[in-house]
Amino acid sequence: GAGVSQSPSNKVTEKGKDVELRCDPISGHTALYWYRQSLGQGLEFLIYFQGNSAPDKSGLPSDRFSAERTGGSVSTLTIQRTQQEDSAVYLCASSFGGQDTQYFGPGTRLTVL
Amino acid sequence: DQQVKQNSPSLSVQEGRISILNCDYTNSMFDYFLWYKKYPAEGPTFLISISSIKDKNEDGRFTVFLNKSAKHLSLHIVPSQPGDSAVYFCAARAIQGAQKLVFGQGTRLTINP
């Protein structure tokens, strides 16, 4: 398929462990976004990549969260020393440009025990 | 500070009738509004959008209305169909530069046969 893909679909980890979540955007899309949805809440913006520009990290909740986008395509969101409040569905989206419609992947459900 | 609010967590509508989903926002810098639809275990899917220069946008069974003075938008679905049962998220984007979407908490729509 040509949509946004994310892996893993589910991740269960123990408190204090590090996790990496992966996003493969739609081919040709220059903009990539990470959001998270906690239980019963709307989607919360985390970070935005546009081409070779410096990412907008304004939504990252703490310095335990970081993200990279290698080669302008695949992105990895890393959460260090996970806490129970990090449990959420992490969603990746991509768009052709920064002003265009964002298309979402299916998400990674993270559970921190 | 919840900048985009969907005050109805759930809504039930009879098949064939009109569904009206509401959304309020507080940030006057928002200039573009979107509705996304989300099925369980899937990412949100773009449905319809409206720019702040318009007060109505229609696409088939879906119409979005924007009342800038009231900072209110609504999504009308008519006629409602069982496949419309999903969670609907309202989202907004600020003028210039900030590409991130700010989402409401979502409204779960159930269409009853």
Side-chain angles (χ1 to χ4, degrees), chain B residues 40-75:
Chain B
E42 294 183 11
T45 303
F46 170 73
L47 199 54
I48 192 169
S49 62
I50 187 166
S51 164
S52 60
I53 63 173
K54 294 186 174 181
D55 54 18
K56 176 183 174 181
N57 189 27
E58 191 172 350
D59 183 4
R61 297 186 299 113
F62 303 91
T63 303
V64 56
F65 295 92
L66 176 62
N67 182 333
K68 288 189 290 293
S69 60
K71 293 190 174 67
H72 177 84
L73 66 156
S74 61
L75 174 68

Side-chain angles (χ1 to χ4, degrees), chain A residues 35 37 42 48 98-99 102 105, chain B residues 36 43 89 93 99-101 104:
Chain A
Y35 295 84
Q37 184 183 15
Y48 159 64
Q99 295 285 339
Q102 296 179 27
Chain B
Y36 279 82
F89 289 98
R93 195 177 68 201
Q99 309 308 327
K100 66 182 181 183
L101 294 177

Side-chain angles (χ1 to χ4, degrees), chain A residues 33 35 37 40-43 45 48 58 91 98-106, chain B residues 2 34 36 38 41-44 46 89 93 96-97 99-101 103-106:
Chain A
Y33 313 77
Y35 295 84
Q37 184 183 15
Q41 301 297 312
L43 281 72
F45 168 78
Y48 159 64
S58 60
L91 290 150
Q99 295 285 339
D100 296 304
T101 300
Q102 296 179 27
Y103 295 89
F104 284 82
Chain B
Q2 191 75 29
L34 308 90
Y36 279 82
K38 186 179 184 303
E42 294 183 11
F46 170 73
F89 289 98
R93 195 177 68 201
Q96 294 185 2
Q99 309 308 327
K100 66 182 181 183
L101 294 177
F103 284 83
Q105 308 95 308

Side-chain angles (χ1 to χ4, degrees), chain B residues 13-47:
Chain B
V13 174
Q14 200 76 17
E15 181 179 358
R17 299 288 185 99
I18 184 170
S19 296
I20 300 176
L21 297 105
N22 293 302
C23 178
D24 296 292
Y25 62 96
T26 58
N27 189 339
S28 58
M29 298 298 285
F30 289 147
D31 71 335
Y32 195 72
F33 304 89
L34 308 90
W35 285 93
Y36 279 82
K37 173 180 177 180
K38 186 179 184 303
Y39 293 119
E42 294 183 11
T45 303
F46 170 73
L47 199 54

Side-chain angles (χ1 to χ4, degrees), chain A residues 46-107:
Chain A
L46 296 176
I47 188 168
Y48 159 64
F49 295 90
Q50 172 62 63
N52 294 322
S53 302
D56 175 356
K57 303 179 182 180
S58 60
L60 294 179
S62 79
D63 59 7
R64 296 186 296 103
F65 288 72
S66 63
E68 289 185 343
R69 189 177 185 194
T70 54
S73 181
V74 171
S75 178
T76 302
L77 177 69
T78 301
I79 309 173
Q80 295 178 310
R81 305 180 303 282
T82 52
Q83 303 294 313
Q84 288 182 331
E85 61 262 28
D86 299 334
S87 296
V89 177
Y90 288 81
L91 290 150
C92 175
S94 70
S95 64
F96 187 74
Q99 295 285 339
D100 296 304
T101 300
Q102 296 179 27
Y103 295 89
F104 284 82

